[in-house]
Amino acid sequence: MKTILIPTDFSPENAIQFAAILARKMGSAVHFLNIIEPLGGDSISISGGESDAGMDNLFMLKLIERNQKEVNKRANRSDFMEIETKG
């Protein structure tokens, strides 16, 4: 097993500890995955103005940045010392 994929929504996860143990035993890399669904036609706009698209884009960029920090925090846990991780 070369790679272990850990999908995460940032809820508390026991799978992270298990993945670290398994990766260490198997010599595997660990990749973390978080999916962000883009705002679509089902989203509700409060202001209804022309600038909504710009605000939506800004919101998505900030959400991506925040989630990347959370993924990195998990990938840099002490459980994963000496294990290749990717977020």
Side-chain angles (χ1 to χ4, degrees), residues 44-87:
I44 299 171
S45 172
I46 295 172
S47 66
E50 291 281 326
S51 65
D52 287 346
M55 291 302 289
D56 288 349
N57 290 339
L58 179 61
F59 172 78
M60 290 303 292
L61 287 173
K62 293 295 181 185
L63 183 61
I64 290 167
E65 287 175 6
R66 185 195 67 144
N67 285 10
Q68 187 61 52
K69 285 179 185 176
E70 286 297 319
V71 165
N72 290 340
K73 191 165 93 176
R74 281 164 173 69
N76 292 322
R77 286 172 41 146
S78 62
D79 304 38
F80 295 104
M81 289 182 73
E82 301 176 16
I83 297 174
E84 178 188 345
T85 58
K86 201 176 242 188

Side-chain angles (χ1 to χ4, degrees), residues 12-36:
E13 301 174 29
N14 294 329
I16 291 176
Q17 293 171 341
F18 180 72
I21 293 167
L22 186 60
R24 191 165 276 110
K25 285 184 180 181
M26 303 294 290
S28 304
V30 176
H31 293 209
F32 291 86
L33 173 69
N34 175 257
I35 296 176
I36 300 173

